[in-house]
Amino acid sequence: MKRFAMKDYGEAKDVLIEIEAEPRPVDDTHVRVELTAFAINPYDVALRQGAMRDFRTLKFPYVLGNDGAGVVTEVGKEVSHVKVGDEVIVHAVGGTYGEEVVVPGKKIVKKPASMSWEAAAGAVTPWLTTYNLVTHLLGDTIGDTVMVQGASGAVGSLLVQYLKEQGKTVLASASKRNETLVRQLGADQFVAYDEVDAGEAFADQADTVIDATKGGRAGEAGMQIMKAGGNFVALNNLPSEQKKAGNYFSFGPSKDYSDFEALTALTELADKIQLTIAEVLPFELRSVVEGHELLEGHPSAGKIIIKKAD
Ligand SMILES: NC(=O)c1ccc[n+]([C@@H]2O[C@H](COP(=O)([O-])OP(=O)(O)OC[C@H]3O[C@@H](n4cnc5c(N)ncnc54)[C@H](OP(=O)(O)O)[C@@H]3O)[C@@H](O)[C@H]2O)c1
């Protein structure tokens, strides 16, 4: 079984390799999925670069990948919501960079027929983040006006759409080149952070600010945009100096969140929510290297997906 692994920390072209792996056994609670597509996330790039090595120890060769979609080929006795042949969406702790993955049954849901393989694989982590942040971290405290920084990104674009589904007023920032995209997703107001100071443009207007960028200076603007006493949520680092009174949260995955619940919500909204796909690359090692290299720069909006030929 072909898988794409990292043999060490380092540059994509130096450490990503193709390996032939033995299939893992499937116990009563697990499911085997033959993957049709998997997504590359910024988190994979950070893991490969070694940025997480103080918190998470990897044993090499390590197969990256949390997000995928494919067809069920084996089902444990205690799993009843899917059967062999079903098309499914998969969230794994690791290992979706390859031809198959074995995951707990509670981490897969059936893929709606109307959802493309690319959208199914690409939406997993961005959607789990969006859903858990809005529904569980903030819940009723979110308020009526929400600012999304990084609204053109995978997480940001789903946040804009999910918040609009819930009737919120959404303020958004991204680069000028992505203004049309973000407005089309439903943002009520948009500021291009590379032309205008978003902090000044939207000062004191949002009940909740979500920094869905890759970090950098967005935090300063975000604090300016948050109403005093509001919520500020960061997907990466919180601002080092919290200059305004408010509730500051650093969002991260939690055992308290149910993948099954969140992914089921995704399937229910599948026809209403769109995911931008930047690249669909062939199921080969050079595609995985290319995907990682693209994410290291400032790529076009949208997910990078590796997909088997039809
Ligand atoms: N904590 C968690 O559980 C969790 C979960 C998922 C993701 N993340 C992290 O969250 C970040 C976003 O993930 P993603 O998959 O959505 O990445 P992505 O698709 O690459 O999106 C990044 C976004 O940041 C925007 N951006 C960059 N600099 C900005 C600035 N100064 N002001 C406003 N926007 C700016 C980009 O906009 P333009 O391209 O338009 O410039 C783009 O919208 C990544 O660092 C990822 O690792 C964390």
Side-chain angles (χ1 to χ4, degrees):
M1 182 234 315
K2 181 161 87 173
R3 302 184 97 185
F4 306 107
M6 51 185 277
K7 62 176 180 179
D8 200 348
Y9 300 112
E11 297 285 320
K13 63 180 176 18
D14 298 332
V15 301
L16 292 171
I17 54 171
E18 185 178 316
I19 58 171
E20 196 54 36
E22 286 298 312
R24 276 182 52 193
V26 169
D27 70 13
D28 291 354
T29 60
H30 282 66
V31 174
R32 187 185 310 282
V33 178
E34 185 181 332
L35 291 159
T36 304
F38 63 86
I40 299 181
N41 277 304
Y43 182 69
D44 307 340
V45 174
L47 271 182
R48 193 252 307 149
Q49 290 170 330
M52 309 285 175
R53 65 208 296 179
D54 291 343
F55 324 101
R56 209 177 145 189
T57 315
L58 302 182
K59 206 172 136 234
F60 300 122
Y62 180 78
V63 181
L64 292 161
N66 306 112
D67 303 351
V71 178
V72 173
T73 55
E74 191 178 345
V75 183
K77 279 199 268 278
E78 289 175 22
V79 179
S80 56
H81 66 290
V82 292
K83 59 182 187 318
V84 170
D86 282 348
E87 297 183 350
V88 292
I89 305 172
V90 177
H91 184 230
V93 173
T96 59
Y97 282 24
E99 288 181 319
E100 70 166 49
V101 69
V102 173
V103 285
K106 62 187 181 188
K107 285 176 149 307
I108 64 171
V109 295
K110 279 191 207 168
K111 176 181 87 63
S114 60
M115 200 176 195
S116 70
W117 288 113
E118 291 88 340
V124 178
T125 288
W127 173 257
L128 292 174
T129 307
T130 296
Y131 180 84
N132 289 323
L133 190 161
V134 171
T135 308
H136 292 303
L137 179 72
L138 295 172
D140 292 340
T141 68
I142 197 164
D144 295 327
T145 302
V146 182
M147 170 75 201
V148 179
Q149 296 177 290
S152 58
V155 179
S157 63
L158 294 185
L159 278 167
V160 170
Q161 296 171 83
Y162 189 47
L163 291 165
K164 286 311 296 175
E165 271 294 309
Q166 302 193 339
K168 306 296 178 192
T169 298
V170 176
L171 315 177
S173 66
S175 56
K176 180 68 183 169
R177 66 179 177 174
N178 290 320
E179 175 170 0
T180 307
L181 167 71
V182 175
R183 287 191 185 280
Q184 181 255 323
L185 295 172
D188 295 284
Q189 291 189 57
F190 175 87
V191 154
Y193 70 80
D194 46 357
E195 289 191 342
V196 175
D197 183 331
E200 281 178 21
F202 293 144
D204 300 311
Q205 289 189 29
D207 300 296
T208 291
V209 172
I210 305 171
D211 178 0
T213 71
K214 288 181 172 173
R217 298 215 313 276
E220 287 293 317
M223 277 190 292
Q224 233 180 313
I225 296 165
M226 178 181 70
K227 290 180 187 169
N231 301 308
F232 184 102
V233 187
L235 296 188
N236 285 298
N237 297 334
L238 283 167
S240 49
E241 200 189 335
Q242 292 164 9
K243 295 175 184 159
K244 199 188 249 181
N247 308 304
Y248 289 82
F249 302 98
S250 181
F251 178 84
S254 160
K255 284 203 261 320
D256 296 337
Y257 303 145
S258 155
D259 283 357
F260 189 77
E261 174 194 316
L263 292 175
T264 300
L266 171 65
T267 63
E268 287 164 0
L269 285 169
D271 294 335
K272 295 186 179 159
I273 286 194
Q274 74 174 64
L275 182 79
T276 307
I277 306 293
E279 300 270 357
V280 183
L281 301 172
F283 213 87
E284 293 167 12
L285 176 63
R286 66 181 168 85
S287 303
V288 181
V289 173
E290 184 183 340
H292 272 242
E293 288 176 348
L294 283 169
L295 281 191
E296 280 174 326
H298 190 165
S300 311
K303 296 296 300 185
I304 297 171
I305 305 294
I306 312 292
K307 183 170 170 272
K308 280 193 187 140
D310 293 328

